[in-house]
Amino acid sequence: MSLLTIENIHSYYGHIHALKGISVEVNEGEIVTLIGSNGAGKSTALRTISGMIHPKKGRIVFAGKDISKMEPHEIVYQGMVHVPEGRGIFPTLTVKENLEMGAFTVENLDVIEERMANGFALFPRLKERIDQYGGTLSGGEQQMLAIARGLMLNPRLLMLDEPSMGLAPILVELIFDIIKKLNDQGTTILLVEQNALMALSIAHRGYVLQTGEITVTDSAVHLRSNKEVQKAYLGMS
């Protein structure tokens, strides 16, 4: 069943036509990935879905509701969380305070404590640094915190923008293992990732974006074996 449907979306930065009529579908329980080169429109797509940019044309439907004109905070209340590129944590707040900020729509303190405990179970390193300021964490720890903060709202759809950016290979594997685990536990995920090989190794389906347009869409298995995709995005000749 479709959880997110994007129909013929056109988005602009000023006069720059960033998304040129893209259509994407994410079904309940899937990991769907958007791959493409820098500037292809991947991050713009997530910003448009989460309400940071309003499309000039097209429609976005989430859980049966048109969210095309909603503001970001309204979309969060619908059950969608966007973990942006660059992590976006609060550097002058502690790990605990960052997580509490992530639960801004939750009033039940017991629920907040339970979700925080779940985050620490996924990322034990965060528990060790619970009173440490976010800005003093390593890049990998900040990415863990950004994801754990997003999970504080128990989202139906978690959108991740470049979660492996700037991380050492061993941490990249850890982050992707966590993403796969979250999906196995029932979280639907829309993933933007420069590391296309890793993204396609855990995704069910994928879309290839090029200069604001979708050029290929297929199962992740077929995309991994697609010669053009291999040459352009997977480093294979």
Side-chain angles (χ1 to χ4, degrees), residues 20-203:
K20 304 168 184 175
I22 72 166
S23 295
V24 172
E25 188 166 31
V26 181
N27 296 318
E28 192 99 45
E30 282 190 312
I31 299 176
V32 173
T33 186
L34 307 180
I35 62 174
S37 57
N38 287 333
K42 306 185 302 295
S43 294
T44 303
L46 295 196
R47 293 189 189 111
T48 302
I49 296 165
S50 64
M52 297 171 70
I53 301 169
H54 287 152
K56 290 199 174 179
K57 184 180 178 183
R59 195 166 76 117
I60 304 168
V61 177
F62 177 67
K65 184 178 291 188
D66 191 330
I67 63 169
S68 308
K69 303 302 181 185
M70 285 188 184
E71 296 301 319
H73 69 279
E74 296 174 310
I75 292 173
V76 168
Y77 276 96
Q78 304 304 312
M80 182 192 299
V81 167
H82 179 189
V83 179
E85 179 183 352
R87 295 140 197 166
I89 64 162
F90 299 103
T92 59
L93 299 183
T94 66
V95 166
K96 184 173 187 290
E97 290 167 339
N98 266 275
L99 294 175
E100 289 171 340
M101 289 292 287
F104 72 96
T105 69
V106 183
E107 296 181 358
N108 189 315
L109 295 180
D110 291 336
V111 171
I112 293 174
E113 289 296 325
E114 179 184 352
R115 291 180 184 173
M116 197 175 296
N118 290 339
F120 290 148
L122 282 172
F123 302 109
R125 199 175 303 182
L126 293 181
K127 187 172 184 180
E128 297 171 5
R129 288 156 174 71
I130 188 169
D131 294 318
Q132 192 168 324
Y133 291 113
T136 67
L137 300 177
S138 70
E141 290 163 351
Q142 288 187 16
Q143 187 61 68
M144 294 174 196
L145 179 56
I147 294 173
R149 185 182 62 187
L151 293 172
M152 290 295 291
L153 291 175
N154 193 28
R156 290 186 68 183
L157 175 66
L158 180 65
M159 300 197 300
L160 300 171
D161 194 352
E162 302 286 6
S164 77
M165 181 177 285
L167 302 186
I170 191 169
L171 287 177
V172 172
E173 290 189 15
L174 172 63
I175 292 297
F176 275 87
D177 284 345
I178 292 295
I179 294 170
K180 182 67 169 62
K181 185 174 182 179
L182 289 171
N183 181 247
D184 289 342
Q185 293 173 351
T187 305
T188 304
I189 293 170
L190 180 55
L191 172 66
V192 160
E193 179 54 58
Q194 193 68 29
N195 189 333
L197 190 59
M198 288 293 289
L200 291 173
S201 73
I202 65 168

